[in-house]
Amino acid sequence: DVKVTQSSRYLVKRTGEKVFLECVQDMDHENMFWYRQDPGLGLRLIYFSYDVKMKEKGDIPEGYSVSREKKERFSLILESASTNQTSMYLCASRPGQGITPLHFGNGTRLTVT
Amino acid sequence: LAKTTQPISMDSYEGQEVNITCSHNNIATNDYITWYQQFPSQGPRFIIQGYKTKVTNEVASLFIPADRKSSTLSLPRVSLSDTAVYYCLVGGWNTGFQKLVFGTGTRLLVSP
């Protein structure tokens, strides 16, 4: 069974801090994604990656960056956290080929104070 | 990318069949329709996927009319544990990468 693991379930950070959210998948998937989820707004795509060192902006990339140095790991970086980045962050992965579903982690709830 | 429209919420009782309809008027020829379920404090989980007509698995059925401009997720005999948010997505999976768009989903509440 595919496992997508997010390193923290809850994080509390201060405004202006640099924040790293880590995601690891164990199924050798090419594609990895970062979403944020807010009440009334559903899931919105921040960034995605289709290969090591490759990345593409999603719908709301402002204030975020990503890193994918190894195939199994996809990191989301908040360069200078702000209160409007308080949210639930969800990581997902899927294989590069074929008609296959997304596999999600259980999320990291980030609070920026 | 095809946009989807779903009801914001639905209520049901245990043992009833629930049908959630999703509109996707500008679905492309190569697009598939996929449904996910999300419980509180968890990531979404894949339920079912289809291209046309009807697809059934152990959890649900998916009905897609010939014009493919809508689809209906059918949950037979729901229980309290089916209370969740259900998302309809439309996109192409065939080759390379496909950016997917989640809407706000349908919040299903099942009561005793």
Side-chain angles (χ1 to χ4, degrees):
Chain A
D1 209 16
V2 177
K3 192 164 185 181
V4 178
T5 303
Q6 296 185 230
S7 55
S8 303
R9 285 286 276 164
Y10 300 94
L11 274 179
V12 180
K13 297 292 182 181
R14 292 190 180 275
T15 301
E17 279 192 79
K18 190 169 186 177
V19 181
F20 293 85
L21 302 183
E22 306 288 345
C23 175
V24 177
Q25 49 94 2
D26 65 356
M27 285 300 292
D28 204 36
H29 286 170
E30 287 79 8
N31 299 320
M32 296 189 74
F33 307 72
W34 276 106
Y35 290 87
R36 67 176 280 177
Q37 185 171 29
D38 302 287
L41 296 177
L43 280 79
R44 293 180 291 166
L45 182 62
I46 304 171
Y47 267 98
F48 56 89
S49 168
Y50 50 91
D51 202 350
V52 174
K53 296 191 185 296
M54 306 303 289
K55 61 185 179 184
E56 292 281 344
K57 293 180 180 179
D59 298 318
I60 51 164
E62 297 77 21
Y64 303 94
S65 62
V66 290
S67 172
R68 191 156 181 212
E69 297 296 320
K70 294 184 178 181
K71 193 174 186 179
E72 68 271 18
R73 186 181 296 271
F74 192 34
S75 303
L76 180 69
I77 304 159
L78 286 66
E79 298 290 344
S80 178
S82 64
T83 55
N84 63 12
Q85 292 178 309
T86 292
S87 185
M88 169 69 84
Y89 290 88
L90 289 159
C91 175
S93 73
R94 65 173 287 267
Q97 299 295 328
I99 304 164
T100 55
L102 289 164
H103 298 268
F104 282 86
N106 281 331
T108 296
R109 185 166 294 281
L110 173 67
T111 301
V112 182
T113 61
Chain B
L1 293 170
K3 183 180 176 182
T4 60
T5 303
Q6 304 173 232
I8 294 174
S9 64
M10 295 182 69
D11 294 321
S12 183
Y13 293 96
E14 281 190 295
Q16 291 190 334
E17 179 184 73
V18 170
N19 296 308
I20 306 174
T21 296
C22 179
S23 297
H24 28 79
N25 290 319
N26 58 341
I27 188 169
T29 302
N30 292 329
D31 285 346
Y32 277 71
I33 300 152
T34 310
W35 285 80
Y36 287 82
Q37 175 192 55
Q38 186 179 25
F39 298 113
S41 301
Q42 294 185 23
R45 182 181 68 141
F46 171 81
I47 301 176
I48 198 166
Q49 182 173 274
Y51 183 80
K52 62 180 180 179
T53 63
K54 178 183 174 182
V55 179
T56 297
N57 62 22
E58 64 277 7
V59 176
S61 294
L62 178 60
F63 297 92
I64 305 168
D67 66 5
R68 304 200 328 122
K69 293 184 183 298
S70 66
S71 59
T72 299
L73 175 73
S74 181
L75 304 172
R77 296 180 298 281
V78 294
S79 64
L80 297 177
S81 63
D82 292 315
T83 293
V85 178
Y86 293 83
Y87 295 94
C88 164
L89 278 77
V90 172
W93 297 101
N94 294 335
T95 58
F97 179 80
Q98 179 69 39
K99 192 171 74 170
L100 294 179
V101 177
F102 281 77
T104 54
T106 298
R107 187 172 299 275
L108 173 65
L109 175 62
V110 180
S111 300

